[in-house]
Amino acid sequence: MESARRPQTRPDREVQPVLAPTDPRLDCITKLAVMATGTSIGGVSLVFQSQMWVPGRYGVGDAYLPRVGSFCDTALEAGEDWFEVPDASNDPRFADNPVVAVARLCHYAAVLLRGAGGHVFGTLWVMGKEARTLDPDQAAQLRLLAEVAAETLNARYCDSATGLYKREVFSHHLQCLLDHAEDGAELTVGYVDLIGFRQLNHAVGRAQGDAILRLVGERIVAWGGLYGLTGHLGGDRFAFAMDAVLQDSAARIDALRDVLDAPFDTASGQRRLHARIGIVRHPAGGVLAGAHHAAHAGAHAGALFLLDGAEAAAHAVGHARSASVIREYDQGLRAGTQLRMELQALQRGAGDAGALEVHYQPQVDLAQGRLIGMEALVRWRHPVLGLLGPNRFIGLAEHAGDIVELDLHVLARVCTDLQAWLADGLVPAPVSLNASRATLLHPGVLPRIRDLLAQSGVPGHLLEVEVTESQLLEQPQLLSERVAALRALGLRIAVDDFGTGYSNLDTLSSFCFDRLKADRRFVHGVASNQRTAGLLTLIHGVATVFDAELLCEGVERQEDLDWLRGRDMGCVQGWYFSPARPAETVQGWLAGLGKCSNGRLDPVALRALLR
């Protein structure tokens, strides 16, 4: 509860989390705690920087209270799971506290609330008017209800593997720091990307991998201190925030490297991980001057701006194989972060952010002289930068968690184009679409695809979903189930970029697919490179084993085309025939093919039509 005592080393800020101010479940737990202990008021208090958020309360009006000088802060500093003050009116630590001096409440009892990783993030507490101590039964009831409260908090606000705040909750708290920071106050935000964790997780197993993530979280929490803010953004990514007083000096940031580079004990011996660490300082010479403006663009937008900047700095590090590396966000990295924010605005429907377009690259069968498919490739017509290819923004969408909506936007655009071509009496070839891992495994994607097919009237066989070889290694059982569900809708399945990953025949046999796409590195120059020719021949053999069509990507040279055609590998895609073209051009292709007998042309005439 509030006290007049203030620390001289910390700014007095009114930092208020913007999460929902109350949680009915926590309110109920708190009421039960008050009734079980025969007290007057109670609450579930979560500490955050200089504030307490009280999402569960009974007899308390305020949802946000200052932390410093409060009973909760004293309980946390004591570090014991049980904390009780029999008579606060005679305790010099609390005699001036308004709840004691004005409300005449003097008895306080609290149980610490811990995350799954063991760190403390608040208390379940009760207060009464009579000086006393709880009897053993009352204390046991309060402890039991604290367990229930902790379980509720862990389920709603914290990551199950680490017990740290989830991305959304971390962003809420970070946004508060931005909204209430004093002019000139500096905030340091960090992004931690563990290198090699996926391989380690695969080697030691899911349970041991989660234990390592939990330990990483504990290390960052301990390094950040009692007033630091730490979150687990998912997978092998963490975030932290500290104000200028807390970070002390650049040496404190540097110390994080040693914290993360320390070895982990596993059942198979000691292992080490390193990290790419990106940091952003706000304000920092105008580099992030747009953060406050961004806060008006949507919930947590300012916080996301800072997180994006820290992430961009981390990814600019590179591999960092021998030790963790820290990179600070600078002016040179700002362009990528700004582009990511513009992409998010575009997906929200902002009219001044340009438009997403879908272009189509043809896939042909040389033996039959016909168009057998088209790959849909998204483009961003940017109002300033012009037409941007997917390599400029797909990664941005993945890092921002927007890739699922982007993939569905492309699918909706493809369905609209197919619908228009069918309505004009044309016969379109199947369209293949790249799908991210997040999209393939998202539980809400299948109903969305089903609805798009129903609304557009497009038959499922006109769509093909491309699954990259690297995706086959991640959650293969779940991926197999999703692939089966897509095939049940009539969609075709292709394995994309084959030869670039580490899958094996057993992995491939775990699900059905219609097409194997050989990556361009095994196609370009195949006529003149014996090693490349040998590898492509092996890939052709794999396709034959699985009774799948082999499609060779990246065909650009006549000599490579002739080599492929002479070895029964005549299904090809590449610039030799055409780059990706807009829907209007595709309509011309289809109309031209419709005038031919059976829609077939010799390769020379087919190339002339498509180019």
Side-chain angles (χ1 to χ4, degrees), residues 82-203:
W82 178 265
F83 182 80
E84 189 169 17
V85 181
D87 186 1
S89 62
N90 291 318
D91 190 319
R93 295 174 297 176
F94 309 109
D96 294 333
N97 193 303
V99 76
V100 177
V102 178
R104 303 299 181 185
L105 296 170
C106 61
H107 171 253
Y108 175 89
V111 182
L112 299 190
L113 301 174
R114 295 184 180 274
H119 63 282
V120 177
F121 49 64
T123 60
L124 170 64
W125 57 269
V126 293
M127 292 195 75
K129 293 186 176 181
E130 297 180 3
R132 56 181 286 220
T133 57
L134 298 183
D135 64 43
D137 287 341
Q138 292 172 327
Q141 288 290 326
L142 189 59
R143 290 179 186 272
L144 179 60
L145 289 168
E147 291 180 11
V148 177
E151 290 174 359
T152 301
L153 290 166
N154 278 308
R156 290 201 65 192
Y157 305 120
C158 301
D159 168 72
S160 60
T162 64
L164 298 176
Y165 287 134
K166 296 177 182 178
R167 175 186 283 268
E168 184 178 8
V169 181
F170 179 88
S171 299
H172 270 294
H173 288 323
L174 181 55
Q175 188 65 53
C176 283
L177 285 176
L178 281 177
D179 292 342
H180 299 277
E182 296 175 349
D183 291 341
E186 185 174 288
L187 175 69
T188 297
V189 177
Y191 180 96
V192 177
D193 180 20
L194 299 179
I195 300 171
F197 174 76
R198 291 186 180 182
Q199 292 86 340
L200 178 60
N201 189 51
H202 184 70

Side-chain angles (χ1 to χ4, degrees), residues 431-468:
V431 176
S432 60
L433 302 103
N434 297 287
S436 69
R437 174 182 177 274
T439 300
L440 285 170
L441 300 182
H442 194 284
V445 163
L446 286 173
R448 296 276 295 275
I449 294 176
R450 190 180 297 111
D451 290 344
L452 283 171
L453 292 176
Q455 293 167 9
S456 64
V458 171
H461 71 267
L462 287 181
L463 294 172
E464 179 179 84
V465 175
E466 297 185 359
V467 181
T468 62

Side-chain angles (χ1 to χ4, degrees), residues 274-336:
H274 304 300
R276 293 177 288 210
I277 307 166
I279 64 169
V280 167
R281 302 183 193 274
H282 173 73
V287 171
L288 294 179
H292 279 299
H293 174 72
H296 300 292
H300 318 156
L304 293 177
F305 190 88
L306 292 175
L307 275 176
D308 284 349
E311 183 176 3
H315 284 285
V317 166
H319 292 292
R321 295 183 182 276
S322 59
S324 295
V325 177
I326 296 172
R327 169 74 184 266
E328 187 164 350
Y329 185 88
D330 55 25
Q331 197 74 31
L333 295 173
R334 185 179 182 183

Side-chain angles (χ1 to χ4, degrees), residues 391-564:
N391 61 311
R392 291 287 302 275
F393 60 91
I394 291 296
L396 301 179
E398 289 177 334
H399 294 152
D402 298 327
I403 190 64
V404 174
E405 288 302 320
L406 181 58
D407 284 346
L408 289 171
H409 177 94
V410 173
L411 175 59
R413 182 68 257 176
V414 167
C415 286
T416 298
D417 289 340
L418 285 168
Q419 182 184 39
W421 297 328
L422 289 168
D424 286 344
L426 302 174
V427 182
V431 176
S432 60
L433 302 103
N434 297 287
S436 69
R437 174 182 177 274
T439 300
L440 285 170
L441 300 182
H442 194 284
V445 163
L446 286 173
R448 296 276 295 275
I449 294 176
R450 190 180 297 111
D451 290 344
L452 283 171
L453 292 176
Q455 293 167 9
S456 64
V458 171
H461 71 267
L462 287 181
L463 294 172
E464 179 179 84
V465 175
E466 297 185 359
V467 181
T468 62
E469 185 185 6
S470 60
Q471 291 170 347
L472 301 179
L473 295 177
E474 301 180 11
Q475 297 180 279
Q477 179 60 40
L478 180 55
L479 182 61
S480 177
E481 294 172 0
R482 294 299 165 84
V483 165
L486 290 170
R487 289 177 64 86
L489 294 176
L491 277 66
R492 290 164 47 90
I493 302 296
V495 177
D496 193 19
D497 297 338
F498 189 77
T500 63
Y502 302 94
S503 65
N504 52 42
L505 297 182
D506 184 61
T507 304
L508 282 176
S509 65
S510 65
F511 69 97
C512 296
F513 58 95
D514 304 284
R515 174 183 280 178
L516 200 65
K517 297 186 70 175
D519 187 77
R520 73 178 310 276
R521 74 183 67 179
F522 303 109
V523 176
H524 185 71
V526 67
S528 56
N529 188 306
Q530 187 175 359
R531 183 187 181 97
T532 300
L535 291 172
L536 185 58
T537 300
L538 288 175
I539 294 173
H540 186 205
V542 172
T544 302
V545 167
F546 287 95
D547 193 26
E549 176 187 82
L550 177 68
L551 181 74
C552 299
E553 295 186 288
V555 176
E556 299 175 3
R557 308 188 311 169
Q558 181 68 52
E559 51 267 40
D560 291 337
L561 187 74
D562 293 339
W563 189 94
L564 293 169

